[in-house]
Structure formats: C-alpha cells, structure tokens
Amino acid sequence: MTVNAWPDALGVTQVRFARPTDRLEEVTRFYVDGLGLNELYRFENHAGYDGVMLGLPGADYHLEFTSHADGSPGDAPSNDNLLVLYFSSEARMYETVERLGEFGVEPVATENPYWAANGAIAFPDPDGWQVVLVPRPVF
C-alpha cells in the first residue's frame, strides 16, 4: 500500500515534533551543522520561551526545540527515545555519518537490536536523545 497524501478524514496539514532542552544552541548546532537540517524559524522570549524550528524547506513536518527561562524537565528519559531518519541510499547515509564524525559525534549502540540488524547507525544529540540513521526506507 502506497500512501502519498494525508488521509482526508484526518484533516492535518503539518506535523511538528517539539521537545524542551537546556542546551538550545548545542542542540541546534547538532541538528543543523551535524545532521544538515535547515533552521526554519527562531523566536526569543515568547512567554519565557526561546526556540528554534528545524527541518526541510517546504516540508510539512519539522522539529521544534524550546528552552524555558526556568529550565526544562531534563535529558532523554531512555535510550529508546529516537528520531529515525531514513535515507535514499547507504551512500547518502554515510555522507551524514562522516559529517557527524567530523563534527565530533561518536555512534552509540541502540537498545533495540532491530536497528543494527538493518544497517542503522545511532548518534546521541547533546541531550542524549538518539538519532538513528537508516540506509533505506522501510516502505
């Protein structure tokens, strides 16, 4: 089954994955300079929050990271908190692996052996959330 559009019954046009951090600049640098996402928007002092939205221009999904003046709830609750990025090919994935290596980020083991068995490589972001790079889409 191939799905190329949002289901009509859902009525959703965009998705944002948002989470807090106490390391906003380090996290932004990891996702922009390390992974290669674009900074789409930044805001400061909005009801005590600073934040940044990252993603791909024109895409209907993006990541938001916020930092509150009073601090955040803390680091990732477990190693199974993942952001999974599927690449068009192994070669494209390894371009990003190489860039992260030059950026000084070392790969880590995932909790679930599925990822390694399928050629994926995981890297921790500055808050300890794992970003899993997969060499090809699943569907």
Side-chain angles (χ1 to χ4, degrees):
M1 177 170 129
T2 302
V3 179
N4 293 324
W6 291 96
D8 288 335
L10 187 57
V12 171
T13 60
Q14 262 184 349
V15 173
R16 177 186 304 175
F17 298 93
R19 73 169 171 86
T21 180
D22 287 326
R23 300 172 188 90
L24 186 60
E25 292 311 314
E26 294 93 334
V27 165
T28 301
R29 190 169 161 255
F30 173 86
Y31 284 93
V32 172
D33 297 338
L35 280 177
L37 295 177
N38 291 335
E39 183 174 317
L40 303 174
Y41 181 74
R42 181 179 285 265
F43 59 91
E44 293 180 353
N45 198 21
H46 174 71
Y49 288 94
D50 293 343
V52 63
M53 289 170 211
L54 308 174
L56 305 172
D60 292 330
Y61 43 86
H62 57 273
L63 305 174
E64 177 184 32
F65 298 98
T66 60
S67 181
H68 192 272
D70 295 333
S72 79
D75 294 339
S78 82
N79 287 336
D80 266 338
N81 290 85
L82 310 174
L83 170 64
V84 181
L85 302 176
Y86 295 91
F87 287 79
S88 58
S89 70
E90 189 172 33
R92 295 304 309 262
M93 181 187 83
Y94 274 102
E95 289 172 8
T96 302
V97 168
E98 214 172 285
R99 187 170 51 250
L100 286 168
E102 291 168 1
F103 192 68
V105 182
E106 296 291 326
V108 295
T110 56
E111 290 286 323
N112 187 331
Y114 168 85
W115 300 112
N118 286 279
I121 302 173
F123 294 88
D125 79 4
D127 288 326
W129 292 72
Q130 289 190 13
V131 178
V132 180
L133 311 180
V134 184
R136 65 201 149 282
V138 256
F139 46 83

